[in-house]
Amino acid sequence: MQLPPLSAIRVFEAAARHGNFTKAAEELGMTQAAVSYQIKLLEERIGSLLFLRKSRQVTLTEVGARLSPAISEAFELIRGAIAATRENADGVLTISTIPTFASNWLVPRLGSFQLAHPALAVRLQATRDMIDFSRQPADVGIRSGSGKWPGLTSHKIFPAEFSPMLTPALAATIGGVKTPADLLKLPLIDTGDYWWKLWFRAVGIQEPHLLGDPRSRFGDQHLEGRAVLAGMGVGILTPAFYQNEIKQGQLIQPFDILGADGDHFYWLVYPEVRRNVPKIRAFRDWMLGQLSNIEN
């Protein structure tokens, strides 16, 4: 059996609860005439009167009295499901982020955000794929690129800059790295990476002969970084992701010269239409505050 229009069922539920068409109309933002019409429409579909109309009030008929509890229960179930969904949506912040940014920058700092917002749970989705906010469940994203994505608000985090890094032990095997050309004496990780050639051009070496198989790739910078820490070779890494390792003496960055593409940055992004959602605003403010502390 095909259900009657939901609008008519909704009007019946309110009218039965109030026992009054006028109060139902006020609750639903309708006119009394519109309420009467929806009730009449429902009665025609059911084939029975639902209310006895009196001069100043209405009362449920026997059929209406049997129908009312079931419909009220159904609406309560709907209200409860929506409330639970909203509570979960409001209480969980889902972040879609590049794996390297997640492991090397965000996760070590995330504790301060959760301390400031204890009622907000955080879910990380570490992926290299560019998430479609209209189809996939995420609140904010961390992306690399130009920052020009239609429908999204973008906040610049820091440039996508790269510099060679290696362990002190590996550098010691050639008596230390004193000039950029010294790096060519050592095995390089991911030699097919575009950033190697860009960096060597920046230091004046146009056609470097790189030791390493260009077919070998780790795929993600955080995996390349693990290989560098293991002493496998020299990696071309983003210094902002490895400040702790440099401070602790695990890695060295021999040169301050950075390879960079002027249009390539890391960005915090989210849909423009959701910019005022409290959990998104909270994360945005925290993130921008973290960046401000680093700059200062």
Side-chain angles (χ1 to χ4, degrees):
M1 176 183 174
Q2 187 176 3
L3 285 174
L6 185 59
S7 57
I9 297 174
R10 179 168 168 258
V11 167
F12 170 76
E13 189 275 335
R17 182 161 31 87
H18 288 293
N20 188 291
F21 284 5
T22 301
K23 290 181 179 179
E26 291 173 355
E27 176 184 313
L28 299 174
M30 304 170 66
T31 64
Q32 185 176 345
V35 168
S36 296
Y37 172 78
Q38 292 293 335
I39 295 296
K40 183 179 180 183
L41 182 66
L42 185 60
E43 289 175 332
E44 289 175 354
R45 292 291 296 271
I46 292 174
S48 181
L49 287 175
L50 299 173
F51 290 96
L52 295 174
R53 280 81 165 170
K54 298 181 181 180
S55 58
R56 293 184 178 276
Q57 64 178 8
V58 294
T59 57
L60 289 167
T61 64
E62 183 179 347
V63 173
R66 288 202 307 269
L67 188 61
S68 178
I71 288 181
S72 294
E73 182 179 359
F75 271 91
E76 281 303 314
L77 286 172
I78 293 171
R79 290 188 189 101
I82 291 173
T85 301
R86 180 170 183 176
E87 181 179 349
N88 182 61
D90 289 344
V92 177
L93 176 75
T94 302
I95 306 168
S96 174
T97 174
I98 299 165
T100 302
F101 191 94
S103 62
N104 291 43
W105 197 94
L106 183 58
V107 169
R109 294 171 170 81
L110 205 50
S112 69
F113 175 76
Q114 295 192 294
L115 283 173
H117 303 278
L120 196 58
V122 175
R123 286 186 190 147
L124 290 182
Q125 297 175 348
T127 175
R128 297 177 68 192
D129 297 331
M130 190 175 291
I131 191 168
D132 182 346
F133 285 95
S134 66
R135 298 185 180 185
Q136 296 165 281
D139 298 301
V140 299
I142 306 297
R143 292 183 177 177
S144 63
S146 66
K148 298 175 182 177
W149 295 287
L152 299 184
T153 295
S154 303
H155 299 277
K156 191 180 293 182
I157 301 176
F158 45 69
E161 298 173 325
F162 294 83
S163 184
M165 295 188 197
L166 68 163
T167 62
L170 183 61
T173 62
I174 59 169
V177 176
K178 302 176 181 65
T179 68
D182 289 335
L183 295 173
L184 301 176
K185 303 173 186 176
L186 295 168
L188 306 184
I189 294 173
D190 282 4
T191 56
D193 193 326
Y194 160 79
W195 294 101
W196 273 121
K197 289 186 177 179
L198 193 67
W199 187 84
F200 275 112
R201 282 198 214 109
V203 297
I205 301 176
Q206 297 300 321
E207 296 295 333
H209 178 66
L210 309 182
L211 292 180
D213 191 334
R215 297 171 299 176
S216 297
R217 294 301 300 269
F218 282 88
D220 281 309
Q221 191 184 157
H222 75 288
L223 298 177
E224 183 179 342
R226 299 303 302 174
V228 174
L229 285 163
M232 291 177 59
V234 186
I236 187 82
L237 306 174
T238 300
F241 292 148
Y242 296 92
Q243 290 303 299
N244 286 336
E245 288 81 357
I246 292 171
K247 290 176 182 176
Q248 293 167 7
Q250 295 174 282
L251 291 179
I252 57 174
Q253 180 187 342
F255 309 103
D256 292 333
I257 300 168
L258 300 173
D261 180 338
D263 293 329
H264 207 85
F265 289 81
Y266 290 95
W267 304 84
L268 168 66
V269 300
Y270 49 83
E272 291 176 1
V273 296
R274 304 197 68 213
R275 63 186 179 277
N276 290 321
V277 172
K279 61 182 177 180
I280 292 177
R281 189 168 62 238
F283 185 75
R284 176 191 64 214
D285 293 347
W286 172 81
M287 174 75 96
L288 297 180
Q290 291 291 305
L291 297 173
S292 177
N293 290 339
I294 292 172
E295 291 171 0
N296 295 331

